[in-house]
Amino acid sequence: MIATENITINKIKNSRLPKVDLNNVPFGSVLSDHMLVSNYINGEWQPSVIEPFGDITISPAMLALHYGQIVFEGMKAFKMKDGSVSIFRMEKHYDRFCKSMERMCIPPMSYEHFNEAMKALVKVDAAWVPGSEGSSLYIRPFVFASEERFGVKVAEEYKFIIFSGPVGPYYSNPLKVKVEDKYRRAASGGTGSAKCAGNYGGAFYPSSLARKQGFDQVLWTDGSSELNIEESGTMNVLFMINNVLVTPSLSDSILDGITRDSFITIAKDMGIKVEERKIGADELISAHGKGILQEAFGTGTAAVVAPIQLISIKGKDYTLPAIKDDNVALKIKQRLLDIRVGAAPDKNNWNTIVKQ
Ligand code: COI
């Protein structure tokens, strides 16, 4: 057992790593050796413990299972060109985690607690960070109401857990998407901008219907008659229209995507004009008709970027130009990958080095 300043580390006896091909892992299927656990009891977050990844014991009456007080993050650590390991945009993920926790009435956690926990866990499992381009260590911090009680209430006890797993590219083929005009992912005043578990569970049914119709995912809208576009599947969505990068402006029904933000920052840095504003289905149809709907793509931590090849609106299919290597989406993605591995300058201090 090793004790860092505040974190106790119980290392695994036999690492599972030798049995894993780090360059060939389907997304979300392989878990690294360790996890970090910190409990909230008596009104305080308790010191974190790192232990071998494994099952946890919970009560069937645990509040999170019934009333859904659960929030999570999706983050990534990268192997840099010089061999060091870095976590991408830790502060922005922490800020979003805090906002999600506040929206779900989960008690706040200090940046020190989150930051120390993240760094310690990634350091312990640094050997699990893959080195090939497009691969990374996906990190999943989450918090849930662990109190044993079935009365409807805000919990007084919580568990914060972080685990990780090596991942390669997430979505491979260009997507066929359908503008969803019946179901909604989120409504104004709801929890759409929080990264809470229920947002994902609620999206499964409409997404599965869309898949039965031959689409890969849905384009969510604000539910208005204008069908203002909000997100794509579990990602933010961006369009290149007449050489301008257009994306729906953030609202309380849209997740403040960290990859979205990185894309906007990099696009501006590359001299691309960016507009964050409403974009309705009619504008997409009209831009397509004029031949100026050049690109559409989703962005998210898991996928990074997922190009869209076809958008279906009210039963009519609109095919986008074929995806080429000089697409803006792919150029920005490449710059992002370069920043993450130290092949391009990290002007905005997005990388936190955890292991030299
Ligand atoms: C991500 O892109 O990291 C997400 O959280 C989406 C999905 C894997 C749940």
Side-chain angles (χ1 to χ4, degrees):
M1 184 191 296
I2 312 161
T4 65
E5 209 174 324
N6 292 309
I7 302 179
T8 306
I9 304 175
N10 301 317
K11 278 204 167 181
I12 200 164
K13 291 210 172 60
N14 296 306
S15 171
R16 288 176 280 104
L17 187 55
K19 296 196 188 105
V20 176
D21 174 3
L22 276 188
N23 296 315
N24 185 21
V25 278
F27 184 88
S29 63
V30 177
L31 294 152
S32 317
D33 280 332
H34 297 90
M35 62 183 186
L36 177 140
V37 181
S38 165
N39 295 315
Y40 182 88
I41 38 176
N42 301 326
E44 270 182 325
W45 286 105
Q46 306 299 317
S48 304
V49 176
I50 292 178
E51 51 199 59
F53 181 90
D55 293 347
I56 52 168
T57 304
I58 51 162
S59 163
M62 185 184 85
L63 279 167
L65 292 179
H66 302 270
Y67 310 120
Q69 260 187 299
I70 310 173
V71 305
F72 68 96
E73 270 303 312
M75 311 173 53
K76 279 180 172 173
F78 292 86
K79 177 79 68 66
M80 312 272 292
K81 274 165 75 84
D82 64 2
S84 57
V85 170
S86 102
I87 302 175
F88 189 67
R89 303 206 68 177
M90 189 131 82
E91 279 178 42
K92 185 136 176 85
H93 280 284
Y94 167 75
D95 286 346
R96 189 172 69 180
F97 198 46
C98 292
K99 285 184 188 133
S100 302
M101 285 165 72
E102 187 182 6
R103 180 63 182 81
M104 296 305 288
C105 261
I106 297 174
M109 176 183 293
S110 71
Y111 183 61
E112 289 65 39
H113 194 80
F114 181 86
N115 181 45
E116 290 307 316
M118 288 290 306
K119 290 204 290 202
L121 185 70
V122 173
K123 212 167 163 183
V124 166
D125 279 335
W128 285 83
V129 185
S132 63
E133 195 176 77
S135 297
S136 58
L137 186 74
Y138 189 88
I139 312 163
R140 175 52 63 82
F142 63 110
V143 184
F144 59 94
S146 53
E147 186 181 344
E148 180 185 45
R149 195 179 173 116
F150 62 87
V152 189
K153 71 185 265 290
V154 173
E156 279 161 49
E157 291 173 11
Y158 296 85
K159 236 181 218 315
F160 170 54
I161 298 183
I162 314 174
F163 64 76
S164 70
V167 295
Y170 188 56
Y171 299 111
S172 42
N173 298 323
L175 304 172
K176 292 183 181 164
V177 300
K178 169 197 165 188
V179 172
E180 177 55 65
D181 51 19
K182 176 171 181 191
Y183 298 99
R184 288 183 69 179
R185 174 189 166 273
S188 179
T191 58
S193 62
K195 204 162 172 68
C196 58
N199 288 348
Y200 294 80
F204 285 166
Y205 181 66
S207 307
S208 68
L209 293 181
R211 268 196 295 277
K212 279 187 194 141
Q213 295 165 2
F215 301 103
D216 298 296
Q217 53 182 244
V218 301
L219 279 187
W220 300 107
T221 78
D222 63 357
S224 68
S225 54
E226 289 81 28
L227 295 175
N228 292 310
I229 307 297
E230 298 218 311
E231 296 192 13
S232 177
T234 60
M235 296 178 288
N236 294 109
V237 63
L238 297 90
F239 303 91
M240 275 305 288
I241 302 176
N242 206 15
N243 299 321
V244 178
L245 185 63
V246 184
T247 189
S249 26
L250 293 176
S251 71
D252 62 358
S253 55
I254 296 182
L255 190 77
D256 180 359
I258 281 113
T259 311
R260 172 191 181 277
D261 184 78
S262 305
F263 262 61
I264 289 173
T265 307
I266 293 171
K268 288 181 180 165
D269 195 47
M270 290 169 89
I272 298 165
K273 189 171 173 210
V274 179
E275 288 177 5
E276 293 178 70
R277 60 169 172 81
K278 274 195 197 314
I279 166 151
D282 278 349
E283 180 179 347
L284 292 181
I285 295 170
S286 146
H288 184 270
K290 290 183 199 147
I292 54 169
L293 180 57
Q294 298 150 308
E295 294 177 42
F297 53 96
T299 61
T301 300
V304 185
V305 64
I308 293 171
Q309 58 163 309
L310 179 143
I311 303 176
S312 174
I313 305 173
K314 296 265 181 207
K316 193 160 185 278
D317 290 350
Y318 300 88
T319 301
L320 277 89
I323 290 126
K324 296 195 295 287
D325 286 348
D326 67 346
N327 271 30
V328 168
L330 301 182
K331 280 195 201 153
I332 301 178
K333 176 187 176 184
Q334 190 57 49
R335 175 75 71 90
L336 180 60
L337 293 179
D338 288 347
I339 295 170
R340 287 162 150 183
V341 299
D346 179 16
K347 293 184 194 167
N348 301 290
N349 295 319
W350 284 343
N351 297 323
T352 300
I353 308 291
V354 293
K355 197 166 190 294
Q356 290 294 343

